[in-house]
């Protein structure tokens, strides 16, 4: 059966909330005229997408949810990724967002259609923008790297092959822990990059899509290994262009960061990725209003 979490969340909201109070919350949310963009990811990696969006739209308000209690999504089943994604979206929707960006590649691969069909606001994933940019660059051979789940979904591969492109895929499961350990340079990171990317390099690809939120942090290393003949596509940048027609460039540059778990290393990871100091706030999902 098609999940109806958003609808049921709204129903629960009205059942549990006295009508007058519910109405005032809705009016209050609608009166907040600032554009508010919501993003979610399985954890901290989506902050690479947030960073790119804030750079492009500095005046807009953003709210980010990282599902750190349940990360990684990249080795979970499609069904679980869809359920988690709906719960994340539900939380952000209740926070009054006008547009949702699914920053997580794994969630974009499995849950985008369900989210688009369930939410009353525009929803964007990171797969199509990445594919578009790859197609602009390639002469015919594209590499795609991502989590095991993203690679086995063939989300990138199917879109690229439909345009007549030859696609070589590789799951790189050690890249995420590498980034989370802050190992962005040095011999360990170099060895892991070589281990995963050697075959792709030998295939003679001219474009490589970084199909995972964490990988932009390894971009300098990956570019160095692949060499100047390979264009490395970062979907964090691609998504900023994609949402442009839907963005009202107004707001108070507000940023709220929510996580489902706050571990001792979270703050420093947030700073490493986002490049600024921000207080993370804790939330538990599913969100009960
Ligand atoms: N955010 C995930 C992605 O982009 C990577 C981390 C995970 O496995 O959850 O696919």
């Amino acid at each position: 059966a098609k999940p109806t979490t958003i609808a049921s969340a709204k129903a629960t909201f009205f059942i549990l909330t006295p009508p007058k109070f519910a109405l005032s919350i809705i009016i209050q949310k609608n009166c907040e005229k600032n554009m508010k963009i919501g993003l979610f990811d399985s954890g901290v990696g989506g902050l690479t997408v947030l960073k790119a969006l804030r750079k492009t739209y500095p005046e807009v308000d953003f709210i980010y949810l990282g599902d750190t209690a349940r990360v990684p999504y990249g080795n979970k089943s499609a069904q679980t990724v869809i359920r988690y994604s709906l719960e994340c979206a539900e939380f952000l929707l209740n926070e009054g967002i006008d547009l949702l960006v699914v920053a997580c590649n794994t969630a974009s691969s499995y849950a985008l259609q369900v989210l688009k069909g369930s939410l009353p606001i525009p929803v964007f994933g990171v797969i199509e923008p990445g594919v578009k940019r790859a197609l602009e660059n390639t002469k015919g051979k594209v590499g795609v790297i991502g989590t095991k789940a993203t690679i086995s979904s063939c989300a990138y591969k199917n879109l690229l092959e439909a345009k007549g492109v030859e696609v070589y895929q590789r799951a790189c499961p050690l890249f995420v822990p590498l980034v989370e350990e802050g190992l962005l340079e040095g011999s360990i990171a170099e060895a892991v990059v070589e281990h995963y990317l050697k075959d792709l390099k030998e295939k003679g690809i001219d474009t490589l899509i970084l199909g995972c939120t964490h990988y932009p942090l390894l971009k300098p290393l990956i570019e160095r290994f692949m060499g100047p003949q390979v264009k490395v596509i970062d979907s964090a940048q691609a998504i900023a262009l994609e949402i442009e027609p839907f963005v009202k460039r107004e707001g108070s540059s507000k940023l709220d960061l929510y996580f489902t778990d706050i571990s001792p290393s979270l703050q420093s990871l947030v700073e490493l990725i986002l490049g600024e100091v921000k207080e993370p706030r804790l939330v538990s999902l599913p969100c009960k209003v």
Side-chain angles (χ1 to χ4, degrees):
K2 190 171 178 254
T4 53
T5 318
I6 301 300
S8 60
K10 279 186 182 161
T12 316
F13 178 70
F14 281 102
I15 290 162
L16 298 181
T17 315
K20 238 169 123 185
F21 182 54
L23 195 63
S24 80
I25 293 176
I26 288 171
I27 291 169
Q28 206 185 321
K29 280 185 175 169
N30 288 345
C31 286
E32 284 172 7
K33 275 286 156 235
N34 289 349
M35 173 93 203
K36 199 193 235 184
I37 299 180
L39 291 91
F40 81 84
D41 177 45
S42 55
V44 289
L47 293 170
T48 55
V49 180
L50 176 67
K51 191 177 176 186
L53 291 184
R54 286 189 88 215
K55 202 168 162 205
T56 315
Y57 307 110
E59 55 292 87
V60 170
D61 293 353
F62 285 94
I63 172 167
Y64 178 91
L65 171 64
D67 195 3
T68 36
R70 303 188 290 195
V71 72
Y73 283 12
N75 55 15
K76 298 208 166 58
S77 68
Q79 223 178 359
T80 299
V81 172
I82 292 172
R83 179 162 58 86
Y84 288 178
S85 300
L86 282 163
E87 288 170 1
C88 290
E90 200 174 302
F91 167 75
L92 293 170
L93 201 63
N94 280 324
E95 290 297 310
I97 57 165
D98 303 293
L99 183 151
L100 175 68
V101 172
V102 183
C104 179
N105 285 257
T106 306
S108 295
S109 300
Y110 287 108
L112 193 66
Q113 293 319 317
V114 175
L115 290 169
K116 280 187 171 176
S118 312
L119 268 68
I121 54 168
V123 180
F124 294 87
V126 284
I127 311 285
E128 277 185 39
V131 165
K132 253 189 219 172
R133 288 201 59 206
L135 290 171
E136 281 160 17
N137 185 70
T138 189
K139 292 202 168 55
K141 277 189 188 183
V142 175
V144 179
I145 53 174
T147 63
K148 283 183 179 168
T150 297
I151 296 306
S152 55
S153 79
C154 292
Y156 281 104
K157 189 170 187 269
N158 292 342
L159 289 175
L160 288 161
E161 284 184 347
K163 298 286 177 191
V165 169
E166 216 172 300
V167 182
Y168 297 95
Q169 302 197 102
R170 181 81 209 239
C172 307
L174 287 176
F175 280 4
V176 169
L178 210 57
V179 169
E180 299 209 341
E181 281 301 312
L183 290 170
L184 310 181
E185 289 285 344
S187 56
I188 297 173
E190 279 166 14
V192 178
V193 165
E194 185 181 353
H195 170 74
Y196 287 128
L197 302 187
K198 199 168 163 279
D199 289 351
L200 287 181
K201 193 174 176 178
E202 282 164 8
K203 297 282 183 223
I205 57 168
D206 61 11
T207 309
L208 177 65
I209 299 179
L210 304 184
C212 175
T213 47
H214 287 63
Y215 301 0
L217 284 132
L218 294 169
K219 195 173 174 183
L221 205 62
I222 292 172
E223 281 178 329
R224 217 180 312 141
F225 179 76
M226 294 306 287
Q229 68 284 2
V230 178
K231 166 100 176 151
V232 178
I233 306 277
D234 170 347
S235 49
Q237 286 163 352
I239 185 75
L241 293 174
E242 190 77 8
I243 65 171
E244 196 175 9
F246 295 85
V247 178
K248 280 189 275 160
R249 289 176 177 268
E250 57 189 28
S252 51
S253 311
K254 197 164 171 262
L255 171 61
D256 289 315
L257 297 181
Y258 287 93
F259 294 91
T260 53
D261 179 63
I262 297 185
S263 67
S265 59
L266 183 79
Q267 182 74 51
S268 56
L269 260 175
V270 170
E271 282 173 38
L272 172 78
I273 300 174
L274 205 53
E276 60 181 299
V277 183
K278 271 277 160 198
E279 188 71 26
R281 292 201 247 168
L282 190 62
V283 63
S284 39
L285 298 178
C287 170
K288 297 273 177 269
V289 272

